[in-house]
């Protein structure tokens, strides 16, 4: 991402409706795994630490973040959110079968070879491990945030499933979320594009009241998306296991 985008994210991630809602979704998924607090966990594409904040607050004690940006690592260190190592998701600096849980939230869309990234995630997961992945969905929603975040693509759910199968994963659960905001986000991004509005980040489009309202809407969204399995959404969540034979 652009350096200025990291700064904005670092300032808002604790309370911004998007990060609050996504952490709520991840927390519910992780709680269902019933894993001990000493579980070895890897957070990929840590950015300014939103998932590290979640893992810390949930009481986990054996997690590590990885990001390719010195700026991201600096912000995590400044906020004292845990250990973050510099590295490339397409060449992870970890041993085979090292982790029981990997979080790859809004990261594989940043890399040119997402199949290689997924293969690397599979490699570092143990045979009983889980990876929770989120990615942006629907190319028609391409907007300023995709550009400043240096995204390569947005996904459709069947495309993501196929790539997961290709890289040796067994699908457990896949669904669209942020579906209640699909039309408003499409409209806002369309207007921004047509009016040539120059934004450093879409995270700037927020006020205290706006954030309060959207936080509650998004919390309903992430709670209901898993139950309703809507046919569209701004994002996709996948919970998958590596297909590794018993030894």
């Amino acid at each position: 991402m652009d350096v200025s985008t990291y700064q904005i994210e670092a300032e808002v991630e604790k309370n911004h409706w998007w990060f609050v809602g996504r952490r709520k979704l991840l927390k519910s998924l992780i709680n269902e795994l019933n894993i001990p607090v000493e579980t070895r966990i890897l957070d990929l594409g840590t950015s300014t630490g939103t998932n590290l904040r979640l893992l810390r607050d949930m009481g986990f004690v054996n997690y590590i973040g990885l990001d390719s940006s010195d700026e991201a690592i600096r912000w995590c260190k400044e906020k004292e959110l845990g250990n973050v190592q510099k590295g490339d998701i397409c060449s992870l600096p970890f041993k085979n079968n090292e982790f029981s849980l990997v979080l790859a939230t809004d990261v594989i869309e940043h890399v040119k070879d997402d199949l290689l990234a997924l293969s690397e995630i599979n490699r570092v997961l143990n045979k009983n491990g889980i990876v929770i992945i989120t990615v942006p969905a629907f190319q028609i929603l391409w907007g300023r945030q995709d550009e400043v975040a240096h995204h390569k693509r947005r996904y459709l759910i069947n495309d993501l499933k196929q790539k997961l199968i290709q890289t040796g994963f067994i699908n457990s659960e896949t669904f669209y979320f942020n579906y209640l905001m699909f039309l408003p986000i499409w409209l806002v991004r369309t207007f921004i594009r047509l009016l040539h509005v120059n934004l450093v980040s879409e995270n700037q489009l927020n006020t205290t009241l706006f954030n309060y309202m959207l936080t509650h809407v998004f919390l309903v969204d992430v709670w209901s998306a898993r139950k309703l399995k809507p046919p569209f959404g701004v994002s996709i969540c996948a919970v998958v296991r590596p297909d590794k034979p018993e030894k």
Side-chain angles (χ1 to χ4, degrees):
M1 294 195 297
D2 294 342
V3 171
S4 56
T5 307
Y6 279 116
Q7 180 174 349
I8 293 170
E9 181 179 310
E11 293 170 352
V12 304
E13 58 85 15
K14 183 177 180 180
N15 298 308
H16 190 281
W17 65 270
W18 161 253
F19 296 106
V20 170
R22 192 181 66 177
R23 281 196 295 265
K24 184 71 172 180
L25 173 61
L26 295 176
K27 183 177 181 180
S28 68
L29 293 169
I30 294 170
N31 277 336
E32 290 177 10
L33 299 177
N34 293 316
I35 54 178
V37 294
E38 65 272 13
T39 296
R40 183 74 167 145
I41 302 173
L42 172 63
D43 178 45
L44 292 172
T46 296
S47 192
T48 61
T50 182
N51 289 344
L52 298 186
R53 182 183 301 281
L54 170 66
L55 294 171
R56 181 198 64 186
D57 291 349
M58 292 182 71
F60 289 104
V61 296
N62 192 17
Y63 58 86
I64 185 171
L66 182 131
D67 204 286
S68 61
S69 167
D70 290 323
E71 185 71 5
I73 295 170
R74 181 183 72 81
W75 278 111
C76 291
K77 183 177 181 180
E78 185 173 305
K79 293 191 284 186
E80 299 181 339
L81 291 175
N83 182 27
V84 183
Q85 182 172 332
K86 187 172 182 179
D88 181 358
I89 190 175
C90 291
S91 182
L92 293 174
F94 303 109
K95 298 180 294 184
N96 294 351
N97 310 309
E98 185 171 344
F99 297 95
S100 295
L101 174 63
V102 173
L103 303 180
T105 57
D106 294 278
V107 59
I108 65 169
E109 69 272 12
H110 291 267
V111 300
K112 183 176 181 180
D113 193 344
D114 54 354
L115 289 176
L116 178 56
L118 290 170
S119 296
E120 275 291 277
I121 293 171
N122 190 313
R123 179 183 67 78
V124 301
L125 271 172
N126 63 46
K127 63 182 178 63
N128 296 315
I130 292 284
V131 56
I132 300 175
I133 297 170
T134 63
V135 293
F138 287 92
Q139 200 65 24
I140 61 169
L141 291 178
W142 186 272
R144 178 61 178 160
Q145 199 63 27
D146 296 286
E147 294 168 358
V148 300
H150 300 171
H151 289 172
K152 305 298 183 186
R153 68 196 72 81
R154 299 179 71 94
Y155 293 81
L156 295 176
I157 204 164
N158 287 335
D159 296 334
L160 180 61
K161 285 181 178 180
Q162 185 59 41
K163 291 189 176 191
L164 290 167
I165 292 171
Q166 284 180 255
T167 51
F169 288 99
I170 301 172
N171 181 56
S172 297
E173 183 178 11
T174 313
F175 56 92
Y176 288 111
F177 68 101
N178 203 3
Y179 68 99
L180 294 175
M181 294 294 294
F182 187 95
L183 181 57
I185 287 174
W186 177 80
L187 287 171
V188 168
R189 290 183 172 178
T190 299
F191 282 126
I192 288 173
R193 184 172 61 253
L194 293 176
L195 298 176
H196 304 288
V197 179
N198 187 24
L199 292 172
V200 175
S201 169
E202 288 179 8
N203 290 329
Q204 293 174 290
L205 297 174
N206 209 12
T207 66
T208 301
L209 178 60
F210 196 50
N211 192 65
Y212 176 83
M213 294 169 57
L214 290 185
T215 296
H216 287 79
V217 170
F218 197 30
L219 290 177
V220 171
D221 186 295
V222 297
W223 170 80
S224 60
R226 296 182 68 196
K227 301 175 185 297
L228 299 178
K229 296 291 191 297
F232 58 88
V234 180
S235 297
I236 302 168
C237 181
V239 182
V240 293
R241 302 175 182 272
D243 187 11
K244 295 184 177 180
E246 297 285 343
K247 291 185 178 179

